[in-house]
Structure formats: structure tokens, C-alpha cells
Amino acid sequence: MLSIMWFVTGVVLLINTLLWSVYIAWWGVFGLVPVAAAFFLCRLTSGRETVDDPAIGWDIGEGIDIDNPDQPRKVRVVLEDNALNLGMLAIGGPMSGKTVMAIGFLHYLDQHRQGGWAYWEGKGDREIYQQVCACGAKPDRFFSTELPHSDTVNIFAGPTENVIDRLTRTLISDESEYYGNAQRAAIRKVVPLLKSLGTPVSLQDLYVTLILPEAAMYVLNQARQKQVPATIIEAARLFFDIEEGERMNQINGLLNRMDIFVTGSIAGRINAYAPTLDLSKAAAEGQKVYLHMPYGQLTKDIATMLTEEIGVIATHRQLYENNRVPWPQVFDDWGAFFYDNFGPITARCRSAKMPISFLFQSRGQTDRVDGNRIFTTEITDNIGSLVILRINGHDTAEWAAKQFGSYDTTELSHSQNTAYEGNNLTTMRAPRLDAGNLKNLNAGEAYINCLVTGEGGAVSNQRYKARFPLPDFSGAETIDWPLIEVEDNNDQPGLHLWRDFMDRDRLRELKKQVVKQSEDNKAPQESNTDRVREVDFL
């Protein structure tokens, strides 16, 4: 734009000169007026950063380009959508402004991007939810591991193999190899049996099937009636044929781990046959999902199961969906929730337009994922934006400063000795950012390293210092937790082993039905001994 203005100025000056030289008319003086005006505008614009077509993205506001710290320039800082779609890593100590930044990002997504988002919030403060709603980013779905009136999920949902992997990862305790293998075998043999029945099932159904022989026989009979593949039935039957005392001894650790998921106040919210929050549906429909998950061991296990489900959704989007609408994931204060499969899931999500943005307090939280710091390297190598807010710890500050690289600078030195006296100008490499600077930032201030698109689509790294805008939180204090009404799970279609077999009256009635079914469905070649053996289970 500046070049065009100078060109127009030159053309006007040329025309005015020709008029003056040819006609030598006094009115040619007036031609100098537009020339002077154009010249003034060009001079006024020179040295300023102007953008005719601003990049599409999150406009942070005015900041400073620190690519060359010796010559900082005032610029407009925009985190481009192309970069945001690769994910973001933000690191900052307590009270540095991470969560407010995350809320601002959600507000941007809500106001300027098609589709929804998922906000995984690991602090649990009511104020965070209030501020998210107050700034206009009220979620469509709200799930909490602590609040009773929230949406419901089914942690048993998804393809059979994925459910097996999910349960194996979270429910198999660190016992001896013998018991660990026995527990894995129990999950691998019984889960396919339950999933093949063609009716909604939950973790409670698996628990009852494992502890009650009559429930196991009921499920086997249902499988036969529904013509489930014989291989699935036979694998489960062989497991149940193990002497009961030995079988229960083998899976005792598994059952102990399952107890907390199938009993207590949270059981109804995570074992719903018709969950009000279906993550697959949320991703497909672009819903805004708020996951309120204050850290604790139970919450971490549930978070792991739900994160595994996110990985399944990402895989499906990669394989079968062509026109994928971005569904960003924001993990706030999530360092303690990491586990060893998080890296591959992150890569899947990025490819499936479900970019993950992380907000941590220190680098140590990412290093803890795999113990050898590979995950930290994976994040920094693949994200589109690195945001460093105020950092308290020395090690994290040193690491963060190194991410901004170095630059060429000159140093003037004076030499005075008997052989030579004079000034020397030396070029040297110096760190672009000093770790000490990261400890003195105000809340919301940050150093940003992000990808930007230049002329001809060329992509490069730009480094800024900026302050994230404060969203409008007016009226936040009047907002309360949502009260979500959900239907009684007992009234929903499903296998209902917990309801029927854990209640004596219902169990008595079921026994009569199963005995009658055994009589009616007895095959001609089946011996009387076999039939009596099945009935004796009850």
C-alpha cells in the first residue's frame, strides 16, 4: 500500500511539472497541493505497520515484534486460524492469566468460528464457569465429576476394541503378571459378549456379570437367543467355567478398582444408557462442551476414559469424514491428568481438526507424561503457537526462553594497547529472550512465538510481546452452576443388570423367566445334565 501511495505521488508530481513547464501558468501552483498532501501521507505512513487485509484469526491487539530485540516494532498481533488449528501451548505460573486467556480464546471461537469446542477444566472453580458464561461463551453441555446436576455420559460407549483398551488402561491394577493377565482376559472375554447384545450396556452391567453367576448365565442365554457369534459366547463361557473361588480370586483387584465407578453418587452420571452428553454427537454437531473435572484419582480415571473416547472420535473423522468442521480442545491446568497415550491422541486430534491447546504451570508437567521428555518435544515441534506468561520457576523460565531462539546483534568495543587503538564492531549471536524477563510480566502479558502466513502463502515464525485482552465478565457473580434435569436411568432402554440382579424381588422374577426360557429353548441334542447345570446357576 505504501508503494502505491509513493507511485501515485510521483505521477501527480510529473503531471504537475509538465503543466508548469509547458504552459508556465500561475495556476500550476495549485497542482502542488495534491502533491504535498500525498507526500505528507506517505511520510506519515512510513515506518508504521499497516495491514490492508488483516490475517483471519484471534486479534490480540497491539503488541511488539521482538524478532530483533534491538529494533522492536509496534504491530498488530493476530493468532491466525491456520496456526490455532495446529494447537497451542501456554505456560504460566499461578495468577499469570492462563485461565483468563483460555476464556478469551473460547469467546473468540464462539464469536468468530464455525463449530463448537470442548473445554477440559481441571481447577473446578465456580468463578471460571461464571466467566465463561458471562463473556458469551455459555456451553451447550456441562459434565461434572463432582456436581450432581450435570449432564450424563456412558464410559462404556464406543466400539468394542476401544472399550477394551480404555478399561484395560484404567482398571487393571499394578499386580503380579499372573493376576494382571487374568484381569485382562476377563475384560477381553466378557466385554465383547455384552457389547454384542445390541442393547445399551454400561460398566455396571460388566460388574454384575463378573460378580453374580446368575447374571452371567442370563447374559449367555440372551446372547444365544440373539444369535451372537459362537466364538464370542464360547470365549465368555470358558471364562465363567473357571471354578468360582479361583475366578473371583483372579479378578479381585479388577473388581476393587471398578467399585468406585459403579457405586456412589457419580455412578448414575457415568453409566447412563441414554447419556445427555455424547462426545461423538457433540463433535459432529459442533457443540460447546464444558468438562468440570477438579483433580482427584477418580476424576483422572474418568478423564482418561473420556480422552480415549476423544481419540476414537478423531480416528473416525480421519477415516470417514471429508468436510470436518474444527472442534478445538482446550485443556486448562491439565498437567496432572497426563498419561502415556496422550501423545498419540494429540497427533490424531490435530490431523482430524480437533486441535488440542494446553495450559500448564511448568514444563515439568509435560515431562512427567513419559519420563524422558519426548512428549514435551512433540508438543513444541507440532503446535502452531507457544505462549509464555509469567513464570516463577527458574528451570521452566530457562527452557521457555530458549524456545525463542537467538538473533544477530552487534557490539561496539574499544581497544587500547601499544599496537592498536580504536573501536571494534563485532557481530554475535545473542538470546532473543532473557529468562529473567519472564518473571516480571503482568497478568495477561505474554511472549508469543507463532506461525504466520506471508506473501505467496509462505509460513514463518513470528515472535511478539503482547497482552491478552480481558473479556467482559459483567454479571458473572450472578451466574450459578447449571441444574440439568436428566431422566431416571432405570426408565431407559438397556440391559439393566444392576437394577434387576442387585434387587432380590426383581432377581426372583428373573429366575423364573430364565428357567422357563431354558426349558423352551432346549435343543433336542442337549442332554438333561446340561440343562440342569444351567438352571443350577440360578
Side-chain angles (χ1 to χ4, degrees):
M1 183 64 179
L2 185 59
S3 300
I4 295 175
M5 292 176 66
W6 277 114
F7 176 76
V8 172
T9 302
V11 172
V12 173
L13 181 60
L14 177 61
I15 294 174
N16 187 73
T17 303
L18 291 174
L19 290 173
W20 181 264
S21 63
V22 174
Y23 296 100
I24 315 180
W26 65 269
W27 49 264
V29 176
F30 290 102
L32 295 175
V33 175
V35 174
F39 184 78
F40 174 76
L41 288 175
C42 289
R43 291 290 297 172
L44 185 66
T45 309
S46 296
R48 294 191 178 185
E49 192 76 12
T50 58
V51 182
D52 294 324
D53 299 311
I56 299 175
W58 184 15
D59 190 343
I60 304 303
E62 189 176 79
I64 301 173
D65 186 326
I66 61 167
D67 192 62
N68 184 349
D70 294 335
Q71 299 176 347
R73 297 180 302 126
K74 288 186 177 181
V75 293
R76 196 77 181 178
V77 180
V78 176
L79 300 184
E80 298 181 14
D81 281 350
N82 289 337
L84 294 175
N85 286 340
L86 294 175
M88 176 170 50
L89 172 62
I91 297 181
M95 306 299 291
S96 63
K98 294 191 307 298
T99 296
V100 173
M101 170 198 156
I103 296 172
F105 181 44
L106 297 180
H107 179 257
Y108 164 71
L109 294 175
D110 185 72
Q111 298 295 314
H112 302 282
R113 294 276 295 268
Q114 180 184 3
W117 40 259
Y119 181 43
W120 304 71
E121 193 265 288
K123 295 180 181 177
D125 297 341
R126 185 173 71 166
E127 183 182 54
I128 299 175
Y129 175 77
Q130 291 174 322
Q131 292 176 345
V132 169
C133 295
C135 75
K138 184 177 181 180
D140 302 312
R141 293 286 180 264
F142 177 86
F143 170 77
S144 173
T145 54
E146 293 190 354
L147 298 171
H149 298 289
S150 72
D151 280 300
T152 57
V153 298
N154 187 351
I155 56 176
F156 208 74
T160 300
E161 282 301 318
N162 297 116
V163 173
I164 291 173
D165 290 343
R166 187 186 315 162
L167 298 182
T168 299
R169 190 176 299 278
T170 54
L171 297 181
I172 302 300
S173 57
D174 295 329
E175 297 184 8
S176 68
E177 183 177 356
Y178 171 76
Y179 288 111
N181 289 337
Q183 293 169 16
R184 292 183 183 89
I187 290 176
R188 180 156 290 281
K189 292 178 179 180
V190 181
V191 169
L193 180 70
L194 293 173
K195 298 288 284 186
S196 66
L197 295 178
T199 189
V201 291
S202 71
L203 190 63
Q204 287 181 320
D205 293 317
L206 174 62
Y207 183 83
V208 176
T209 304
L210 292 175
I211 66 171
L212 295 180
E214 52 266 50
M217 182 56 62
Y218 174 79
V219 172
L220 287 169
N221 285 337
Q222 289 288 309
R224 294 188 184 98
Q225 291 176 21
K226 297 185 177 183
Q227 298 183 335
V228 169
T231 54
I232 295 178
I233 296 176
E234 184 62 15
R237 189 188 66 78
L238 288 174
F239 169 74
F240 291 119
D241 274 353
I242 299 174
E243 192 275 325
E244 183 176 355
E246 173 61 20
R247 186 176 73 250
M248 297 303 291
N249 185 49
Q250 290 178 1
I251 63 173
N252 184 60
L254 172 63
L255 296 175
N256 288 338
R257 287 278 288 159
M258 291 178 66
D259 278 339
I260 195 169
F261 299 98
V262 299
T263 61
S265 59
I266 198 173
R269 295 200 301 283
I270 62 176
N271 292 289
Y273 289 127
T276 55
L277 170 56
D278 182 329
L279 290 175
S280 297
K281 182 178 179 182
E285 297 180 356
Q287 295 178 1
K288 295 173 290 185
V289 179
Y290 192 116
L291 295 140
H292 173 259
M293 310 188 79
Y295 180 73
Q297 187 57 52
L298 172 61
T299 298
K300 181 177 180 179
D301 290 336
I302 295 174
T304 299
M305 293 182 183
L306 296 181
T307 305
E308 288 288 310
E309 189 174 350
I310 289 293
V312 174
I313 295 170
T315 301
H316 185 273
R317 282 166 66 105
Q318 281 183 303
L319 296 176
Y320 304 112
E321 296 183 23
N322 294 324
N323 300 315
R324 300 187 289 265
V325 176
W327 194 50
Q329 314 287 300
V330 180
F331 288 80
D332 186 6
D333 204 20
W334 211 253
F337 288 85
F338 275 128
Y339 63 100
D340 57 1
N341 198 40
F342 215 103
I345 288 178
T346 300
R348 284 279 193 183
C349 287
R350 187 185 307 112
S351 300
K353 290 190 176 181
M354 296 167 56
I356 294 182
S357 294
F358 302 102
L359 294 93
F360 302 133
Q361 292 186 6
S362 73
R363 179 196 175 180
Q365 292 176 325
T366 61
D367 289 346
R368 188 167 53 191
V369 177
D370 50 20
N372 55 14
R373 303 185 177 183
I374 292 176
F375 184 57
T376 302
T377 304
E378 287 180 350
I379 293 179
T380 51
D381 283 348
N382 292 289
I383 57 171
S385 303
L386 173 65
V387 178
I388 307 298
L389 298 104
R390 184 180 64 247
I391 292 178
N392 298 334
H394 176 74
D395 290 344
T396 299
E398 288 284 348
W399 171 82
K402 289 180 180 179
Q403 306 309 305
F404 285 76
S406 57
Y407 74 107
D408 290 324
T409 185
T410 56
E411 184 178 83
L412 181 64
S413 61
H414 180 72
S415 176
Q416 185 175 5
N417 55 48
T418 57
Y420 172 79
E421 180 178 351
N423 296 324
N424 293 321
L425 193 62
T426 305
T427 300
M428 56 183 294
R429 299 291 293 179
R432 186 172 281 111
L433 181 60
D434 185 87
N437 295 338
L438 300 176
K439 298 187 177 184
N440 300 313
L441 296 173
N442 295 317
E445 281 187 329
Y447 287 95
I448 303 170
N449 188 350
C450 63
L451 299 177
V452 296
T453 305
E455 294 184 5
V459 178
S460 63
N461 272 89
Q462 290 294 322
R463 302 158 183 92
Y464 307 109
K465 181 182 180 182
R467 188 166 189 171
F468 285 91
L470 183 67
D472 182 6
F473 295 146
S474 300
E477 64 280 357
T478 64
I479 299 173
D480 203 351
W481 295 117
L483 297 177
I484 299 171
E485 296 294 334
V486 295
E487 296 185 17
D488 189 344
N489 200 43
N490 289 331
D491 297 331
Q492 300 297 324
L495 191 56
H496 287 296
L497 297 184
W498 185 274
R499 179 196 67 185
D500 295 340
F501 283 83
M502 302 298 276
D503 181 281
R504 290 185 178 182
D505 293 334
R506 286 183 178 274
L507 179 58
R508 190 179 301 110
E509 185 63 30
L510 270 177
K511 286 181 178 180
K512 296 178 181 178
Q513 296 177 15
V514 172
V515 171
K516 186 176 185 303
Q517 290 173 357
S518 297
E519 292 285 351
D520 295 342
N521 297 328
K522 175 178 174 293
Q525 70 274 18
E526 188 177 28
S527 69
N528 186 64
T529 301
D530 291 334
R531 180 167 58 84
V532 171
R533 180 175 174 276
E534 289 189 2
V535 175
D536 282 346
F537 253 110
L538 303 175

